[in-house]
Amino acid sequence: MRVAANVVRGRTPSFARRASSALAAAVLGVTVTVTALPMPAFARGPESLADLAEKVTDAVVNISASTTVEASNRGGRNLPQLPQGTPFEDLFEEFFKRRGQGAPKGDEDSPRGPTRKSNSLGSGFIIDASGIVVTNNHVIGDANDIQVILHDGTKLKAEIIGKDSKIDLALLRVKPTADRPLKAVPFGDSDKMRPGDWVMAIGNPFGLGGSVSAGIVSARGRNIESGPYDNYIQTDAAINKGNSGGPLFNMDGEVIGINTAILSPSGGSVGIGFAVPSGTASQVVDQLRQFGEVRRGWLGVRIQNVDEATAEALGLKGGAKGALVAGVDEKGPAKTAGLEVGDVIVKFNGVPVKSSSELPRIVAATPVGKTVDVQIVRKGEEQTKSVLLGRLEDGEKTQVANVKQPEAESVNRQILGLNLSGLNDEARRRFGIKESVKSGVVVTKVDPNSTAADKRIQPGEVIVEVGQEAVANPADVTKRVEALKKEGRKSVLLLVASASGDVRFVAIGLD
């Protein structure tokens, strides 16, 4: 069976085998005298990682998380109900299906009905000898019984200090025994790690605690679209089921990453693993220790990336960069500070914003209540706005500011491969355009061979702005496009609203 490659958190059901090859060279005797040349340098790893592994292994722990759940019946048989994405979920289900067995029976006399415990296994590491343990949030899930198992087999009951689903981290506390002091490992500086640097992972793959694997940093800043703040270290050190939450060490025995996910066509390690960098994790851990939760800065904007066509249309100097503001929350800090739709944020609190994916991480890492300078480009001119950051709350959604415009004319026109008409009651009924879309020009047809079609503009969408100027009827669109052509612009930037009111910027060539 062929399976497409997937990003998997803690789910790696087969061991990886690595083949090795040897290089052979034949030495030929010659009578000609030649000048000795230096031997080519080959990359080689450390002679041994044994000393390093021995130094840090006692600080790496196994995590056993149990969740009491109500029994369910699948096809007449009870099967274990594990939290989605937790280790061993697929193996348990396959085990019982293959043998035609039911799950272990729970308490049939429970007043809440039959219950059963489901278990998951993962890894973690101690960062404070008083009993502070770091692991992945998905390792513990909604468990109500968590045990931390030390390298010597000692089991300690753990309580949750706090957890963060956005970065996928959790912080636990255990009480060490008087005769068994705990050993802790420090966080290192993940920003100093470079592709090619050696790293070592220790964890609990397949329940085999204390397993050591090694490799290199393959890449940094990976976005695997698993969350809003993706910034993973990629490594080829073997990471398998149960390694989740375990540490990724540098050669000084410092934790520079927390192993979290893999990319795999089979669910097993193929040498592409991802770890949360310590630079991100340490900030989250500090807040969990202090508050029991993570308090992130909030700007109150909806953004999109700036490509080359959009940069040209906006007149940005230096090409594609920054984060284009596509929406401003009416009650957010950005609105109060004077940020507008169409602004390009190029620097936040002194940190350059190279792409839209960077801005959420920068803002989230900034303390709530801090006043920061936000450098923007508005209609080709740089400005600086002072913003008092709010706090990002779970479930907050940005709202797009809408400005009421004069009643639209219903004149039909064709330009840029688009058939356009005014935004009137008939158009609203035909395309289901909500009242939140106050003004603009309705797209009624799209030439399938046009750039507009390539940019996925669809009938029923509404053009709100052309070249950062509001349009109320098709004639306004034509007039604005012609003006931009006379200015020598090679592309035009459209602000397009969906029928439901969500907006985005689209750059279309004027050739």
Side-chain angles (χ1 to χ4, degrees):
M1 179 178 68
R2 299 180 60 187
V3 185
N6 294 292
V7 173
V8 184
R9 291 184 186 271
R11 304 181 62 180
T12 48
S14 64
F15 287 103
R17 295 183 179 178
R18 297 192 177 187
S20 62
S21 61
L23 295 176
V27 180
L28 301 178
V30 293
T31 58
V32 180
T33 302
V34 295
T35 303
L37 297 177
M39 292 295 292
F42 294 96
R44 60 181 299 183
E47 292 292 339
S48 173
L49 296 177
D51 290 342
L52 176 59
E54 185 177 7
K55 173 183 174 183
V56 299
T57 295
D58 284 344
V60 182
V61 300
N62 302 339
I63 306 291
S64 175
S66 300
T67 307
T68 302
V69 295
E70 293 185 9
S72 66
N73 193 297
R74 297 184 184 178
R77 298 193 306 271
N78 286 332
L79 295 175
Q81 295 287 307
L82 303 181
Q84 185 176 4
T86 55
F88 288 131
E89 174 190 2
D90 51 350
L91 290 186
F92 270 114
E93 186 162 346
E94 179 62 25
F95 176 84
F96 286 108
K97 283 183 177 179
R98 189 167 58 246
R99 288 162 176 76
Q101 299 174 357
K105 293 183 179 180
D107 182 5
E108 301 290 342
D109 297 325
S110 169
R112 298 180 61 185
T115 61
R116 177 178 56 252
K117 278 191 175 182
S118 62
N119 300 300
S120 66
L121 299 175
S123 305
F125 57 98
I126 302 168
I127 61 168
D128 190 313
S130 66
I132 307 300
V133 179
V134 175
T135 187
N136 279 145
N137 177 59
H138 79 263
V139 167
I140 63 171
D142 295 322
N144 44 36
D145 183 16
I146 304 171
Q147 285 192 329
V148 168
I149 306 170
L150 306 181
H151 185 56
D152 66 357
T154 302
K155 296 182 179 180
L156 301 174
K157 186 175 179 60
E159 63 174 332
I160 300 173
I161 297 175
K163 52 186 181 178
D164 178 35
S165 60
K166 290 183 172 65
I167 302 295
D168 194 15
L169 292 180
L171 199 63
L172 310 177
R173 178 185 287 112
V174 297
K175 185 177 181 180
T177 60
D179 61 339
R180 183 62 172 87
L182 300 180
K183 182 174 182 179
V185 287
F187 279 118
D189 189 348
S190 56
D191 291 340
K192 292 182 178 179
M193 301 303 293
R194 301 177 301 166
D197 281 343
W198 285 92
V199 289
M200 181 181 70
I202 303 180
N204 184 32
F206 304 99
L208 303 173
S211 292
V212 178
S213 61
I216 62 171
V217 172
S218 303
R220 289 181 49 189
R222 286 296 195 214
N223 182 354
I224 60 176
E225 298 183 355
S226 65
Y229 310 118
D230 281 14
N231 183 33
Y232 290 105
I233 294 173
Q234 181 184 324
T235 178
D236 67 349
I239 299 173
N240 285 282
K241 180 184 296 293
N243 273 110
S244 287
L248 189 67
F249 291 101
N250 61 18
M251 293 297 99
D252 293 324
E254 299 169 328
V255 178
I256 51 85
I258 294 92
N259 301 318
T260 299
I262 65 170
L263 184 67
S264 172
S266 63
S269 174
V270 294
I272 303 179
F274 303 100
V276 178
S278 59
T280 300
S282 59
Q283 296 177 5
V284 172
V285 167
D286 287 344
Q287 291 206 31
L288 291 178
R289 293 187 72 169
Q290 184 176 358
F291 307 116
E293 62 182 357
V294 179
R295 301 177 179 180
R296 294 186 169 93
W298 177 51
L299 183 57
V301 295
R302 187 163 62 84
I303 57 175
Q304 68 180 70
N305 209 28
V306 179
D307 56 22
E308 292 294 342
T310 303
E312 196 281 332
L314 290 169
L316 280 180
K317 299 176 182 178
K321 62 179 179 179
L324 178 59
V325 177
V328 180
D329 192 300
E330 286 292 340
K331 298 180 180 180
K335 180 70 174 181
T336 303
L339 269 71
E340 300 176 357
V341 173
D343 290 343
V344 179
I345 299 174
V346 293
K347 187 177 289 187
F348 184 91
N349 196 27
V351 180
V353 179
K354 297 178 182 178
S355 66
S356 61
S357 63
E358 292 185 355
L359 183 61
R361 295 198 301 267
I362 299 171
V363 174
T366 307
V368 175
K370 181 177 181 179
T371 299
V372 300
D373 286 337
V374 180
Q375 187 174 322
I376 64 172
V377 177
R378 178 179 296 172
K379 296 184 178 180
E381 299 295 329
E382 288 192 357
Q383 300 182 23
T384 299
K385 301 292 184 179
S386 182
V387 181
L388 176 64
L389 283 191
R391 178 181 172 185
L392 179 66
E393 302 287 350
D394 290 337
E396 281 183 340
K397 296 182 179 178
T398 58
Q399 302 293 325
V400 178
N402 291 299
V403 181
K404 189 171 183 179
Q405 299 290 339
E407 187 67 25
E409 299 177 8
S410 58
V411 180
N412 295 307
R413 298 202 178 209
Q414 185 177 37
I415 191 170
L416 301 175
L418 302 171
N419 284 24
L420 306 173
S421 73
L423 179 57
N424 48 37
D425 292 340
E426 181 182 352
R428 288 186 184 277
R429 286 193 298 269
R430 178 183 174 187
F431 296 108
I433 301 171
K434 292 187 176 181
E435 291 297 327
S436 59
V437 182
K438 301 296 183 181
S439 66
V441 180
V442 182
V443 176
T444 59
K445 185 177 179 182
V446 182
D447 183 346
N449 298 316
S450 66
T451 304
D454 294 339
K455 295 297 182 72
R456 298 182 180 180
I457 294 180
Q458 300 178 3
E461 293 189 308
V462 178
I463 298 175
V464 180
E465 291 182 1
V466 177
Q468 296 186 286
E469 288 189 7
V471 291
N473 55 64
D476 288 346
V477 177
T478 302
K479 182 179 178 180
R480 182 61 178 146
V481 169
E482 293 301 324
L484 292 171
K485 286 182 178 179
K486 290 181 181 179
E487 293 176 8
R489 293 291 181 88
K490 296 181 180 179
S491 58
V492 57
L493 190 67
L494 308 180
L495 180 60
V496 180
S498 67
S500 62
D502 294 329
V503 300
R504 74 185 195 280
F505 284 96
V506 180
I508 296 180
L510 292 177
D511 295 338

